[in-house]
Amino acid sequence: MYGQNAYNTYKNNSVNYASKEQLLLMLVDGAVKFSKIARQAILDNNVQKAHENLMKTQDIFTELMVSLDVNAGDWARNMMAIYAFIKEGLVEANFKKDVKELDKVIPLIEDIRNTWYEAEKKARSVR
């Protein structure tokens, strides 16, 4: 019981005191994690678990989309299009409970995570 409480406190503090970059990385890590949990849940025929995790992933992409400044240039508009494409794929996968739909977007989600990690690493080295 105490261990779980300490972990929850640590987790809350890590979110509350994280930089914008760290929060972004937490979001994209969560998107990868939840989409893979959903994929396995579909294979296990656990509809509720698949739905919950697909909704979490969709919510993450909604947050990424609303926080993106599309006036920042072509790269931002391109990211918005990629985020929208992924979100559409997640909605389709959730509606159909279809692994094939998820298999189309999970590699993109992983690529986005890797891209943001690289960008954060480069930004850190410049500071």
Side-chain angles (χ1 to χ4, degrees), residues 35-47 49-50 97-100 102-103 106:
S35 62
K36 288 183 175 184
I37 291 170
R39 185 185 189 285
Q40 187 58 50
I42 291 170
L43 291 173
D44 296 341
N45 206 26
N46 187 335
V47 174
K49 187 174 184 179
K97 298 299 184 272
D98 187 356
V99 171
K100 291 177 192 153
L102 266 180
D103 287 344
I106 287 176

Side-chain angles (χ1 to χ4, degrees), residues 25 79 110-121:
L25 296 177
M79 287 303 294
E110 291 173 325
D111 285 346
I112 286 170
R113 179 201 50 204
N114 296 342
T115 299
W116 282 119
Y117 266 94
E118 280 302 309
E120 195 273 339
K121 194 164 100 178

Side-chain angles (χ1 to χ4, degrees), residues 22-116:
Q22 290 168 323
L23 289 172
L24 175 70
L25 296 177
M26 287 179 198
L27 281 173
V28 293
D29 279 340
V32 170
K33 174 184 166 187
F34 298 134
S35 62
K36 288 183 175 184
I37 291 170
R39 185 185 189 285
Q40 187 58 50
I42 291 170
L43 291 173
D44 296 341
N45 206 26
N46 187 335
V47 174
Q48 183 63 34
K49 187 174 184 179
H51 173 74
E52 288 169 2
N53 284 281
L54 285 167
M55 289 305 299
K56 288 178 185 179
T57 312
Q58 289 174 49
D59 289 347
I60 288 170
F61 276 93
T62 298
E63 185 61 32
L64 290 171
M65 291 169 80
V66 298
S67 65
L68 190 61
D69 179 7
V70 292
N71 296 318
D74 288 341
W75 73 269
R77 285 185 289 280
N78 291 338
M79 287 303 294
M80 181 64 80
I82 293 167
Y83 291 166
F85 178 82
I86 290 170
K87 192 168 176 196
E88 286 174 32
L90 292 167
V91 169
E92 192 71 19
N94 200 6
F95 181 71
K96 294 179 180 177
K97 298 299 184 272
D98 187 356
V99 171
K100 291 177 192 153
E101 293 296 327
L102 266 180
D103 287 344
K104 293 176 188 174
V105 294
I106 287 176
L108 295 173
I109 296 170
E110 291 173 325
D111 285 346
I112 286 170
R113 179 201 50 204
N114 296 342
T115 299
W116 282 119

